[in-house]
Amino acid sequence: MDTIEIGLWVTGGLLVMVVAGMRVAFAAGLAGLIGLVWIFWARFGYDPERFGKAITVAVKTAGQVPHSKVASHTLSLIPTFILIGYLAYYAGLTRALFEAAKRWIAWVPGGLAVSTVFATAGFAAVSGASVATSAVFARIAIPEMLDVGYNKRFAAGVVAAGGTLASLIPPSAILVIYAIIVEQDVGKLLLAGFIPGAFSAVIYGLLIVGIAVAFKTVGPPVTGFTWRQRLAALPGALPIVAVILIIICFVYNPFGDQAWGTPTEGGAIGAFIVFCFALFHGMRWEQLKSALLETAKLTAMIFSIIWGVLIYVRFLGFADLPGAFSDWITSLAMSPMLILICILLAYAVLGMFMDAIGMLLLTLPVVYPAVMALNGGEAVSAADSTFGMSGPMCAIWFGILVVKMAEFCLITPPIGLNCFVVAGVRPDLSVQDVFRGVAPFFVADAITIALLVAFPAIVLYLPSLAG
């Protein structure tokens, strides 16, 4: 049995373990270790006396992965981005954002739901966690929508879908993980997420207005706010604006000079600003402790997944499965764009059974080289490429597409995580209610993904300015 066959058997076993309910971190780490033992024992000619030697070599190979990869300076972005979100919640920024959006937007059909979407988009700009965003706004926005007569399923669907925006709008933990796995510039990827994230929010808003116009009872407008009340709501949102500007300037300086620093430094300073604002608004020790503990828990979960998956990735390198998959993809007698669309559809199906981070970590080591090969390679110029963009730009474009697919997977049954979170926060809602309420947003996400595929400039405009 050659290494490719070993790779396929071990990957099949990994999928079985994940579908059976084993955590991705443990399933990937176990599959990777078994695969390494298998490959090394095969090199020893399956000699029973050298099986122990194969285990020793495999354990040493796997043991080098966690520290060498997770000690990366780039990964320090993840806890700082997550901490910003939790501190923003305790600082009252979520309530302030929602109140400002409500006073300015709620007068349109479905206005309170549209306000919720734009408030979640604003909170996403200081939070790297979709689940946290959904949980926070399930407590804030759903009661207000129910009070003015919104259908409870629709209200829940709005919050679950709006929470997904945190995956794309920087600071985004998933974008950082993508950049590390495919070894691309983190700053440019974060920069690339701004316009598609805002674009997604606008598509959601237009969908809600359309539904509210077609079905008058779905989302009645809320009126009666004076201009004085609207202007008075703006100062509470200023810390969000400050954090956004800091992150942009530490990634790409829009004033024409060099960037002020690294994205990691920008995330740390953003967390400090929100921390100061939280103290100013009366955050106590218990709240700070909760924010730190929640940040530590989520960071540990993400890092554990990275550790396990990187062991599996090390095995894939020995099995040469990514190279074989790339060769097979490029040999298909199909249009490269059609192949790309099929890959995105496969992500939609896979996301029904896996969490977003685990799905990307498990698939990217194989899928990413294949997509780069379709475009002509990582070093290809725009003039010689298949998709009309250079290798680095194609990596950024594909990254935004797969992260958008990861957003989509957060609301698809049977394990759409955001839907479970909203149902968990609201005892009056079942998971089935939330899934039914979120169904219209599948159409919005499909339209958004189609437009990002058809018009790559939406993704690549800001990164192209950064050079």
Side-chain angles (χ1 to χ4, degrees), residues 355-392:
D355 66 277
I357 293 177
M359 178 184 71
L360 294 187
L361 285 169
L362 287 177
T363 58
L364 283 174
V366 176
V367 174
Y368 172 77
V371 173
M372 292 299 101
L374 282 176
N375 190 52
E378 295 199 32
V380 71
S381 65
D384 298 326
S385 66
T386 303
F387 297 132
M389 62 193 81
S390 66

Side-chain angles (χ1 to χ4, degrees), residues 14 139 182 285:
L14 169 60
R139 296 184 177 96
V182 304
W285 164 245

Side-chain angles (χ1 to χ4, degrees), residues 2-148:
D2 62 21
T3 57
I4 300 298
E5 291 176 303
I6 294 174
L8 291 174
W9 276 105
V10 171
T11 299
L14 169 60
L15 294 176
V16 170
M17 287 189 285
V18 171
V19 172
M22 183 180 285
R23 298 283 184 181
V24 170
F26 303 129
L30 180 60
L33 182 59
I34 290 173
L36 288 170
V37 171
W38 193 346
I39 282 182
F40 289 128
W41 195 31
R43 290 183 179 179
F44 296 149
Y46 296 107
D47 183 353
E49 295 183 359
R50 305 194 68 182
F51 182 68
K53 177 67 173 177
I55 293 177
T56 301
V57 175
V59 169
K60 289 183 178 179
T61 302
Q64 295 171 358
V65 172
H67 178 267
S68 63
K69 295 293 184 180
V70 178
S72 167
H73 177 67
T74 306
L75 272 176
S76 59
L77 273 172
I78 293 176
T80 58
F81 284 177
I82 295 171
L83 180 60
I84 288 174
Y86 283 111
L87 289 175
Y89 170 68
Y90 288 111
L93 290 180
T94 49
R95 172 67 67 179
L97 269 175
F98 180 70
E99 190 62 31
K102 181 176 70 174
R103 295 185 185 186
W104 283 89
I105 304 172
W107 58 271
V108 304
L112 208 53
V114 177
S115 302
T116 300
V117 167
F118 284 109
T120 56
F123 185 65
V126 292
S127 171
S130 294
V131 171
T133 303
S134 295
V136 167
F137 281 91
R139 296 184 177 96
I140 296 174
I142 291 180
E144 297 218 17
M145 284 189 274
L146 296 182
D147 286 344
V148 298

